[in-house]
Amino acid sequence: MAKRSNRIRIAILGASGYTGGELVRLLALHPNAEVRALTAERHAGRPFAAVFPHLAGVRLPDLVRIEEVDFGALDLVFCCLPHGTTQEVVAGLPAALRVIDLSADFRLADVETYAAWYGHAHRAPALQAGAVYGLTEIERARIAPARLVANPGCYPTTAQLPLVPLIEAGQILAEDIVIDAKSGMTGAGRAAKEEMLFSEVSEGIHAYGVARHRHAPEIEQGLSRAARRPVVVNFTPHLMPMSRGILASIYVRLAPGASAQSLREALRTRYGDEPFVRIVPEGASPATRHVRGSNFCLIGVFADRLPGRAILLSAIDNLVKGASGQAVQNMNAMFALPETTALEQQPLFP
Amino acid sequence: MAKRSNRIRIAILGASGYTGGELVRLLALHPNAEVRALTAERHAGRPFAAVFPHLAGVRLPDLVRIEEVDFGALDLVFCCLPHGTTQEVVAGLPAALRVIDLSADFRLADVETYAAWYGHAHRAPALQAGAVYGLTEIERARIAPARLVANPGCYPTTAQLPLVPLIEAGQILAEDIVIDAKSGMTGAGRAAKEEMLFSEVSEGIHAYGVARHRHAPEIEQGLSRAARRPVVVNFTPHLMPMSRGILASIYVRLAPGASAQSLREALRTRYGDEPFVRIVPEGASPATRHVRGSNFCLIGVFADRLPGRAILLSAIDNLVKGASGQAVQNMNAMFALPETTALEQQPLFP
Amino acid sequence: MAKRSNRIRIAILGASGYTGGELVRLLALHPNAEVRALTAERHAGRPFAAVFPHLAGVRLPDLVRIEEVDFGALDLVFCCLPHGTTQEVVAGLPAALRVIDLSADFRLADVETYAAWYGHAHRAPALQAGAVYGLTEIERARIAPARLVANPGCYPTTAQLPLVPLIEAGQILAEDIVIDAKSGMTGAGRAAKEEMLFSEVSEGIHAYGVARHRHAPEIEQGLSRAARRPVVVNFTPHLMPMSRGILASIYVRLAPGASAQSLREALRTRYGDEPFVRIVPEGASPATRHVRGSNFCLIGVFADRLPGRAILLSAIDNLVKGASGQAVQNMNAMFALPETTALEQQPLFP
Amino acid sequence: MAKRSNRIRIAILGASGYTGGELVRLLALHPNAEVRALTAERHAGRPFAAVFPHLAGVRLPDLVRIEEVDFGALDLVFCCLPHGTTQEVVAGLPAALRVIDLSADFRLADVETYAAWYGHAHRAPALQAGAVYGLTEIERARIAPARLVANPGCYPTTAQLPLVPLIEAGQILAEDIVIDAKSGMTGAGRAAKEEMLFSEVSEGIHAYGVARHRHAPEIEQGLSRAARRPVVVNFTPHLMPMSRGILASIYVRLAPGASAQSLREALRTRYGDEPFVRIVPEGASPATRHVRGSNFCLIGVFADRLPGRAILLSAIDNLVKGASGQAVQNMNAMFALPETTALEQQPLFP
């Protein structure tokens, strides 16, 4: 296959899950990207529209098995495989091929921490050493030249975007941070499980993974870097009846001299030029419905009635800024394209 | 304000409702359109993001009253006002200004029929005489040169797209057509009413406007034109707990010699080149979730167990193909632009 | 185990599905019933609250395998097993034990019809010959003395309650009946399937099993009995984002001389004394939300705009009147208890 | 009207809102209660089923205006009127009549606090002095003989049931308590507001009333009593797309020597005999869907990863234990009936 002009030639591995679907949706409007291969082991041989009929209008190759992909004819791989599997697959890719991994496999720089939380030794520690954590607004300079980018988790994106700059700016203490997060159901993936059936989920909410969710060490890694010392957080995720969206309500202690107002200003300063991070006006409350389908992160700051404390509210679409949108943003950064390319679509509300 | 290059200068009247929000969302990606004015009587003086915070990222003029708009500096008005009001407002606009009206005010060619269903005499019968019914795929040739386009209702769009070509092709009889339609709640507008509260709507479904919904005469007008004789239909709309989408399940009698297969072929022939109408594969069932946020109409055909009958299934997003998307499609047709401009965004699923 | 006074000693086979949960919920308030055994193969050995935590407040035996049940110490078995399996299990039960079967296994009197729709020969044709169809309001006299009651399907209950009396009374024709039904997701059971995940179902609607759903022959059996000749119907079910409820919108032809008004009167006459069937006032539209959790069936009648036709609307809770509630009603009839016992709970709205 | 045997003769003032509907639903199964009057100013003269069609099966008096009620023939009034209004209405009732008020009007013992949060002076301070706070499990002894019971708010019930005993038992510190609460939409009432429409609420979540919700002082009043010193809390409520249910995720500091285990034991000891408060097993996560329609409160305790801290999870149905169910429980206590009377209905799931 001849390369079409200046298009980035792309494969999406594990394309039958929600993050795969979102990558295709976003890339369909990307003038510099071309999806050359889509893999899904169980669905190999079928058209992509068989797993995602809403995208039947996009011209795409059929689904194949990973071993059928001609990786030599590609520039970039988006890897949407389950954790564990990913390490081995990525280890087997040509060294010249750039990789954006949407799994958790390369997010934790410390392979011991990985082993402790995931229950097995890391299978590609050398690759891990070269992986760059892809929280675009924070790690942009390291992402641009990277070969392997570990795209952040959805909860860690939501939590770190407000917290990292405030810790770095000395506006809040890194102690006793409580992150109460509410997620839509796509965050739990597309695998069929009884507890994810419509009738089990509708009209209810519950916490899960309390004090043992694997996104906790990822958040702590980012906050520890910002604080330059080990940070432990409370991270309590909840599942609720919506498809997309995460709202993190974060309860923090103010540094001496800081206030909700100074926090808001510090965030405005930090994110003033960012196209996707928006500090909402004082008194406004970030709502997940206002970012649906978009790459935006909305952040609000409120004074707490408890003296010396503040409340941060952070909202994203977990499948876009929390996964595939940030992955495309990282691709744009890696290939020297404007970061907003293919991400200009506005949120869909209602 | 000087005209910016070749942009169509646009005002949206009644911009604080859902169709106004959708026009802004879609036009934000339109390279040849510029929103110059947005009106909303109750919200005049406020930024547009005060009524639609999800669109805070779009550069827009503040909301004003209609009388504050400089209509002389515009090329096109989208009118999203309540029915009745619309006739008077449109009657007062400069004759050179082109108008796409999303209300019901100019859809019924026969002003007597209008009076019978809306309870008052038509207030602009002369304008009505020149209005073109904006069902793009059916009326394209008349839309292009029109000054005033009456954008179709959401239910009539869903029902006519499959029915009109089949009646014209002599594939189905125009007698005893039963249209059972299921709509999301945005179809009922944004005005606050008890029966539209989340808790009243969630987890339930009911029929409404049975045998007296005002979209019935609009559907009958289109089918009568196709049949070249007066047609009466059963149209039974239902409200259900989703925000967007209409599914029409249509029960029809086959013409002698016709079959589900011949109906499918007739539709494929008719819509083969259309970018937005898609006949789904045999056995597939059109789902509203697969068109959400997009301008697509999906149509499926099934044989009925009742001999001599067939079942048509038609799905659209009521706010896009059923309102603002079709309005932008009509604008493109009126201004000689590719019809798909700004409508390339793929459906958002889940 | 000694029998506690005059309590009916009950086992529920296949208790981990939604109909099992509902039986327990309803029987918990029954003064004459005692649940002695609950089976669930995969969950044997676990407390019932492990599969239905909402019922942790009810004193119940742990889940066991079917072979662990002492059927000799029981009076009644509710059978909530998958179809096919059921025939063999019921065939193996002591002849003195009465059975209410909630599966489809004994609903079709004609075993040939069963074989044609279910793809295998009936495995207990002798039992089938003695089974009574448990549509309480229609078959009450035969249910009371029955040994084996085949509890009706959810859709057939919704459709037959309005249709059977109207056909019997000669008010409507049995030709060209179109039944457009909308069901909540519990109707699809509790087994984990991708297409039933919250994110796949929320915010959408689609038809399924078009012209081939297995409830069609069950409906036709009932209507054929009423018409005293073979009847074929259009039955088109849809799945929508709610947990409970079925609304059937039924399009019928009037018999000569009949009208919407005469239909309403015929239904009022037929159901005047029934505690669970309610003909709603003229102009009111039966809503599934108004029967949620209750054994009620609401029926409305509207004149059609198509001359000589009418519209019937019928709403039930698929898990109560469409399954477990009707099963308890049948139990009451079989054991000479007031039919409303344990079914007095009012609908839960919102 | 002659008193029927030993029935409590009841009026419900402001019966057209959700709490009124729930009172009628619950009392319909109460053997010792008789609803004699129902008021709703806007709907006076209409049957109750006109505002709540789901309760058409309950025999009830028509809706009337308050001034039409013969209060001399009653034993008890449930007052479901808006705050402010309530004080004047209750002040005008016969002194012999007992009152359970579901508004916020008599919950705050300190009328200065009331004035500060509600923006006007209390209009019945003498009555306030005699009002008893109706958190049944905590104030039972004072409720039984009370003339005027102030039924607690939904959020305060959810938060206080776990917190009050733990503070009293010295298991947790009263400092820095963070209460992140998620509520269904019925908590916002039945008045029509744009932000409560289905399409505005579905598929989203946001915080509201951050640091200024009027339930904060009510919670603080209860915790201050328990701590015997003034307590200030963080209370951050969120609205989400479900109709019923509140989940409070509460982040607390352990007292020296305490642990998640000791907290769980303290709660088990405190609530061991309570029919409606259930401490879930270790590792289980209380879900609102498991209490829907019931008077239960589920409480879970988890160790936090932050040293010296714990997480409490508390779930109720806001309309039952958080309003009308607790009101009936209080009625039972006031009239020396078993507290569970009419509250034995199990949760409705799904």
Side-chain angles (χ1 to χ4, degrees):
Chain A
M1 248 193 293
K3 179 167 177 181
R4 180 141 52 104
S5 66
N6 61 342
R7 297 258 183 159
I8 306 165
R9 298 166 305 172
I10 293 169
I12 302 173
L13 309 187
S16 61
Y18 293 132
T19 54
E22 278 296 273
L23 283 170
V24 168
R25 177 180 73 88
L26 295 169
L27 294 174
L29 289 195
H30 201 300
N32 309 109
E34 183 185 358
V35 175
R36 286 284 191 96
L38 294 161
T39 82
E41 303 305 297
R42 283 190 309 126
H43 299 286
R46 306 177 69 194
F48 187 71
V51 298
F52 284 123
H54 69 297
L55 295 170
V58 185
R59 186 179 294 265
L60 290 167
D62 283 351
L63 293 163
V64 297
R65 295 180 179 280
I66 288 181
E67 56 264 34
E68 300 176 64
V69 177
D70 176 8
F71 287 106
L74 298 174
D75 301 305
L76 175 68
V77 163
F78 288 104
C79 196
C80 306
L81 299 167
H83 69 80
T85 311
T86 302
Q87 288 159 11
E88 290 169 12
V89 170
V90 174
L93 295 176
L97 195 53
R98 301 179 84 176
V99 178
I100 298 174
D101 178 29
L102 285 82
S103 84
D105 269 21
F106 294 100
R107 291 180 193 154
L108 297 179
D110 180 7
V111 292
E112 301 302 321
T113 304
Y114 178 89
W117 283 84
Y118 287 84
H120 62 86
H122 201 282
R123 290 162 189 149
L127 273 175
Q128 177 61 72
V132 171
Y133 186 70
L135 191 61
T136 328
E137 283 78 8
I138 307 295
E139 303 283 355
R140 184 175 283 130
R142 298 177 63 225
I143 292 166
R147 188 243 160 176
L148 168 56
V149 169
N151 215 57
C154 50
Y155 288 122
T157 297
T158 323
Q160 291 178 87
L161 283 175
L163 284 170
V164 165
L166 293 177
I167 291 176
E168 287 182 348
Q171 288 282 325
I172 60 171
L173 306 185
E175 280 71 46
D176 287 354
I177 293 174
V178 172
I179 303 166
D180 183 298
K182 300 89 175 162
S183 175
M185 293 302 300
T186 52
R190 206 184 191 189
K193 294 178 192 161
E194 182 184 290
E195 69 264 30
M196 288 163 58
L197 298 182
F198 179 87
S199 298
E200 303 282 321
V201 170
S202 176
E203 290 285 315
I205 185 170
H206 67 284
Y208 73 107
V210 181
R212 56 183 178 75
H213 193 286
R214 285 163 170 174
H215 282 181
E218 185 181 339
I219 296 169
E220 292 171 353
Q221 168 181 276
L223 304 195
S224 298
R225 283 176 187 165
R228 300 170 186 276
R229 63 179 183 326
V231 170
V232 177
V233 299
N234 173 306
F235 168 60
T236 309
H238 300 71
L239 280 176
M240 53 169 286
M242 65 180 176
S243 291
R244 291 168 178 256
I246 291 178
L247 178 69
S249 307
I250 308 175
Y251 304 94
V252 297
R253 291 209 230 158
L254 295 168
S259 66
Q261 185 59 29
S262 72
L263 266 58
R264 198 178 296 114
E265 281 162 18
L267 289 167
R268 288 231 168 88
T269 301
R270 178 67 181 76
Y271 289 123
D273 296 327
E274 289 293 345
F276 296 122
V277 182
R278 204 153 66 213
I279 316 306
V280 301
E282 186 174 346
S285 186
T288 59
R289 65 181 64 84
H290 294 148
V291 296
R292 192 188 307 140
S294 81
N295 203 47
F296 290 120
C297 175
L298 302 184
I299 301 176
V301 185
F302 285 84
D304 196 333
R305 298 187 65 236
L306 290 172
R309 299 183 66 95
I311 304 164
L312 308 173
L313 298 166
S314 175
I316 65 166
D317 182 320
N318 58 305
L319 290 182
V320 189
K321 185 59 179 170
S324 304
Q326 187 156 239
V328 171
Q329 190 181 358
N330 284 331
M331 177 188 85
N332 289 337
M334 292 163 77
F335 288 83
L337 299 166
E339 258 180 42
T340 55
T341 311
L343 299 170
E344 305 92 342
Q345 296 178 60
Q346 296 302 315
L348 191 75
F349 169 84
Chain B
M1 250 194 291
K3 178 168 176 177
R4 181 141 51 106
S5 66
N6 62 341
R7 299 254 183 162
I8 305 164
R9 299 164 304 171
I10 292 169
I12 301 172
L13 309 187
S16 61
Y18 293 133
T19 54
E22 278 296 274
L23 282 171
V24 168
R25 176 179 75 86
L26 294 169
L27 293 174
L29 289 195
H30 201 301
N32 310 109
E34 182 185 357
V35 176
R36 285 286 191 95
L38 294 161
T39 81
E41 303 305 295
R42 283 191 309 126
H43 298 286
R46 306 177 68 193
F48 186 71
V51 298
F52 284 122
H54 69 297
L55 295 171
V58 185
R59 185 180 296 267
L60 290 168
D62 283 351
L63 293 163
V64 297
R65 296 179 180 280
I66 289 182
E67 57 263 34
E68 300 176 64
V69 178
D70 176 8
F71 288 104
L74 299 174
D75 302 304
L76 175 67
V77 163
F78 288 104
C79 195
C80 306
L81 298 168
H83 69 80
T85 313
T86 302
Q87 288 159 11
E88 290 169 12
V89 170
V90 173
L93 295 177
L97 195 53
R98 301 178 84 176
V99 178
I100 298 173
D101 178 29
L102 285 83
S103 85
D105 268 23
F106 295 100
R107 292 179 192 155
L108 297 178
D110 179 6
V111 292
E112 300 303 318
T113 304
Y114 178 90
W117 284 83
Y118 287 84
H120 62 86
H122 201 283
R123 290 162 189 147
L127 273 175
Q128 177 60 73
V132 170
Y133 187 69
L135 191 62
T136 327
E137 284 77 8
I138 307 295
E139 304 283 356
R140 186 175 282 131
R142 298 176 64 225
I143 291 166
R147 188 241 160 178
L148 169 56
V149 169
N151 216 57
C154 49
Y155 288 122
T157 298
T158 323
Q160 291 178 87
L161 283 175
L163 285 171
V164 165
L166 293 177
I167 291 176
E168 287 181 348
Q171 288 282 325
I172 60 172
L173 306 185
E175 280 69 47
D176 288 354
I177 295 174
V178 172
I179 303 166
D180 183 299
K182 301 87 175 164
S183 174
M185 293 302 299
T186 53
R190 205 184 192 189
K193 294 176 192 163
E194 182 185 288
E195 69 265 29
M196 289 164 56
L197 299 182
F198 179 87
S199 298
E200 303 283 320
V201 171
S202 177
E203 290 285 316
I205 183 169
H206 68 284
Y208 74 106
V210 181
R212 56 183 177 73
H213 193 285
R214 286 164 169 172
H215 282 182
E218 186 181 341
I219 295 169
E220 291 170 352
Q221 168 181 278
L223 304 194
S224 298
R225 283 176 188 165
R228 299 173 186 274
R229 64 177 192 288
V231 171
V232 177
V233 299
N234 173 308
F235 169 60
T236 309
H238 300 72
L239 281 176
M240 51 168 287
M242 65 181 176
S243 290
R244 289 169 179 256
I246 289 179
L247 178 69
S249 308
I250 308 175
Y251 305 94
V252 296
R253 289 210 230 158
L254 296 167
S259 66
Q261 185 59 28
S262 72
L263 267 57
R264 199 178 295 115
E265 280 162 20
L267 289 167
R268 287 231 169 90
T269 302
R270 178 65 182 78
Y271 290 123
D273 296 328
E274 290 292 344
F276 296 122
V277 182
R278 205 152 64 213
I279 316 306
V280 302
E282 187 173 347
S285 186
T288 58
R289 64 181 66 83
H290 294 149
V291 296
R292 192 188 306 140
S294 81
N295 203 46
F296 291 120
C297 175
L298 303 183
I299 301 176
V301 184
F302 285 84
D304 197 332
R305 299 187 64 236
L306 290 172
R309 300 183 65 96
I311 305 164
L312 308 173
L313 298 166
S314 174
I316 65 166
D317 181 322
N318 59 304
L319 290 182
V320 190
K321 185 59 179 170
S324 305
Q326 187 155 241
V328 170
Q329 189 181 358
N330 284 331
M331 176 188 85
N332 289 337
M334 291 163 77
F335 288 83
L337 299 166
E339 258 181 41
T340 55
T341 312
L343 298 171
E344 304 93 343
Q345 297 178 59
Q346 297 301 317
L348 191 75
F349 168 83
Chain C
M1 247 194 295
K3 178 168 177 178
R4 179 142 51 104
S5 65
N6 62 341
R7 298 256 183 163
I8 306 164
R9 298 164 304 170
I10 293 170
I12 302 173
L13 310 186
S16 61
Y18 292 133
T19 54
E22 278 297 273
L23 282 171
V24 168
R25 177 179 74 85
L26 294 169
L27 293 174
L29 289 195
H30 201 301
N32 309 108
E34 182 185 358
V35 176
R36 285 286 189 96
L38 295 161
T39 81
E41 303 305 295
R42 283 191 308 126
H43 298 287
R46 306 177 68 194
F48 186 71
V51 298
F52 283 123
H54 69 296
L55 295 170
V58 185
R59 185 180 295 266
L60 290 167
D62 283 351
L63 293 163
V64 297
R65 296 180 179 281
I66 289 182
E67 57 263 35
E68 301 176 62
V69 177
D70 176 8
F71 287 105
L74 299 174
D75 302 305
L76 175 67
V77 163
F78 287 104
C79 196
C80 306
L81 298 168
H83 68 79
T85 311
T86 302
Q87 288 159 11
E88 290 169 13
V89 169
V90 174
L93 294 177
L97 195 53
R98 301 178 84 177
V99 179
I100 298 173
D101 178 29
L102 285 80
S103 85
D105 269 23
F106 295 100
R107 291 179 193 155
L108 297 179
D110 179 6
V111 292
E112 301 303 318
T113 305
Y114 179 89
W117 284 84
Y118 287 84
H120 63 86
H122 201 282
R123 290 165 189 144
L127 273 175
Q128 177 61 69
V132 171
Y133 187 69
L135 191 61
T136 328
E137 283 78 8
I138 307 294
E139 304 283 356
R140 184 174 283 131
R142 298 176 62 225
I143 291 165
R147 188 242 160 177
L148 169 56
V149 169
N151 215 58
C154 49
Y155 289 122
T157 297
T158 323
Q160 290 177 89
L161 283 175
L163 285 170
V164 165
L166 293 178
I167 291 176
E168 287 181 347
Q171 289 283 324
I172 60 172
L173 306 185
E175 280 70 47
D176 287 355
I177 294 174
V178 172
I179 304 167
D180 182 299
K182 300 89 174 162
S183 174
M185 292 302 300
T186 52
R190 206 186 190 189
K193 295 176 190 162
E194 182 185 289
E195 68 265 27
M196 288 163 55
L197 298 182
F198 180 87
S199 297
E200 303 283 321
V201 171
S202 175
E203 290 284 318
I205 184 168
H206 68 284
Y208 73 106
V210 180
R212 55 183 178 74
H213 193 285
R214 286 165 170 171
H215 283 181
E218 185 181 340
I219 296 169
E220 291 170 353
Q221 167 181 276
L223 303 195
S224 299
R225 284 177 188 164
R228 300 171 185 276
R229 65 187 146 77
V231 170
V232 177
V233 298
N234 173 307
F235 168 60
T236 310
H238 301 71
L239 281 175
M240 52 168 288
M242 65 181 176
S243 291
R244 290 168 179 255
I246 290 179
L247 178 70
S249 308
I250 308 175
Y251 304 95
V252 297
R253 289 209 230 157
L254 295 168
S259 66
Q261 184 58 29
S262 71
L263 268 57
R264 197 178 296 113
E265 279 162 20
L267 289 167
R268 287 232 169 88
T269 302
R270 177 65 183 78
Y271 290 123
D273 296 327
E274 290 292 344
F276 296 122
V277 182
R278 203 152 67 212
I279 317 306
V280 302
E282 187 173 348
S285 186
T288 58
R289 65 181 64 84
H290 294 150
V291 296
R292 192 188 306 140
S294 81
N295 203 47
F296 290 119
C297 175
L298 303 184
I299 301 176
V301 185
F302 285 84
D304 197 333
R305 298 187 65 237
L306 290 173
R309 299 183 65 96
I311 305 164
L312 308 173
L313 298 166
S314 174
I316 65 165
D317 182 321
N318 59 304
L319 290 182
V320 189
K321 185 59 179 168
S324 305
Q326 188 156 239
V328 171
Q329 189 181 358
N330 284 332
M331 176 187 85
N332 289 336
M334 291 163 78
F335 288 83
L337 299 166
E339 259 181 41
T340 55
T341 312
L343 298 170
E344 304 93 341
Q345 297 178 59
Q346 296 302 316
L348 191 75
F349 168 83
Chain D
M1 250 193 291
K3 178 167 178 178
R4 182 146 44 110
S5 66
N6 62 342
R7 298 255 183 162
I8 305 164
R9 299 166 302 169
I10 293 170
I12 302 173
L13 309 186
S16 61
Y18 293 132
T19 53
E22 278 296 273
L23 282 170
V24 168
R25 177 179 75 86
L26 295 169
L27 293 174
L29 289 195
H30 200 300
N32 310 108
E34 183 185 357
V35 176
R36 287 285 190 95
L38 294 161
T39 82
E41 303 304 297
R42 284 191 308 128
H43 298 285
R46 307 177 67 193
F48 186 71
V51 298
F52 284 121
H54 69 298
L55 295 171
V58 185
R59 187 180 294 266
L60 290 168
D62 284 350
L63 293 163
V64 296
R65 296 181 178 282
I66 290 182
E67 56 263 36
E68 300 176 64
V69 178
D70 176 8
F71 288 105
L74 299 174
D75 301 303
L76 175 68
V77 163
F78 287 104
C79 196
C80 305
L81 298 167
H83 68 80
T85 312
T86 302
Q87 288 158 11
E88 290 170 13
V89 170
V90 174
L93 295 176
L97 196 53
R98 301 178 85 176
V99 178
I100 298 174
D101 178 30
L102 284 82
S103 84
D105 269 23
F106 294 100
R107 292 179 192 154
L108 298 178
D110 179 5
V111 293
E112 300 302 319
T113 304
Y114 179 89
W117 283 83
Y118 287 84
H120 63 86
H122 201 281
R123 289 164 188 145
L127 273 175
Q128 177 60 70
V132 170
Y133 187 69
L135 191 61
T136 327
E137 284 77 9
I138 307 295
E139 304 282 357
R140 185 175 282 130
R142 298 177 63 225
I143 291 166
R147 187 243 159 176
L148 169 56
V149 169
N151 215 57
C154 49
Y155 288 122
T157 297
T158 323
Q160 291 178 89
L161 283 175
L163 285 171
V164 164
L166 293 177
I167 291 175
E168 287 182 348
Q171 288 282 326
I172 59 172
L173 306 185
E175 280 71 46
D176 288 355
I177 295 174
V178 171
I179 303 167
D180 183 297
K182 300 89 173 164
S183 174
M185 292 303 300
T186 53
R190 205 184 191 190
K193 294 176 191 163
E194 182 185 288
E195 68 264 28
M196 288 164 57
L197 298 181
F198 180 88
S199 297
E200 303 284 320
V201 171
S202 175
E203 289 285 318
I205 184 169
H206 68 283
Y208 72 108
V210 182
R212 56 183 177 74
H213 192 286
R214 285 164 170 172
H215 282 181
E218 186 181 339
I219 296 170
E220 291 171 354
Q221 168 181 277
L223 304 194
S224 298
R225 283 177 187 163
R228 299 171 187 277
R229 64 185 145 72
V231 170
V232 177
V233 299
N234 173 308
F235 168 60
T236 309
H238 301 71
L239 280 176
M240 53 169 287
M242 66 181 176
S243 292
R244 290 168 180 257
I246 290 178
L247 178 69
S249 307
I250 308 175
Y251 304 95
V252 297
R253 290 209 229 158
L254 295 168
S259 66
Q261 185 58 29
S262 72
L263 266 57
R264 198 177 296 113
E265 281 163 19
L267 288 167
R268 288 233 169 87
T269 302
R270 177 66 182 78
Y271 289 122
D273 297 327
E274 290 292 345
F276 296 122
V277 182
R278 203 151 68 212
I279 315 307
V280 302
E282 186 173 348
S285 186
T288 58
R289 66 181 64 82
H290 294 151
V291 297
R292 191 188 307 139
S294 81
N295 203 46
F296 290 120
C297 176
L298 302 184
I299 300 175
V301 184
F302 285 84
D304 197 333
R305 299 187 63 237
L306 290 172
R309 300 183 65 95
I311 304 164
L312 308 172
L313 298 166
S314 174
I316 66 166
D317 182 322
N318 59 304
L319 290 183
V320 189
K321 185 60 179 169
S324 305
Q326 186 155 240
V328 171
Q329 189 181 357
N330 284 331
M331 177 188 85
N332 289 336
M334 291 163 78
F335 287 83
L337 299 165
E339 259 181 42
T340 56
T341 312
L343 298 171
E344 305 92 343
Q345 297 177 60
Q346 296 301 316
L348 190 76
F349 168 84

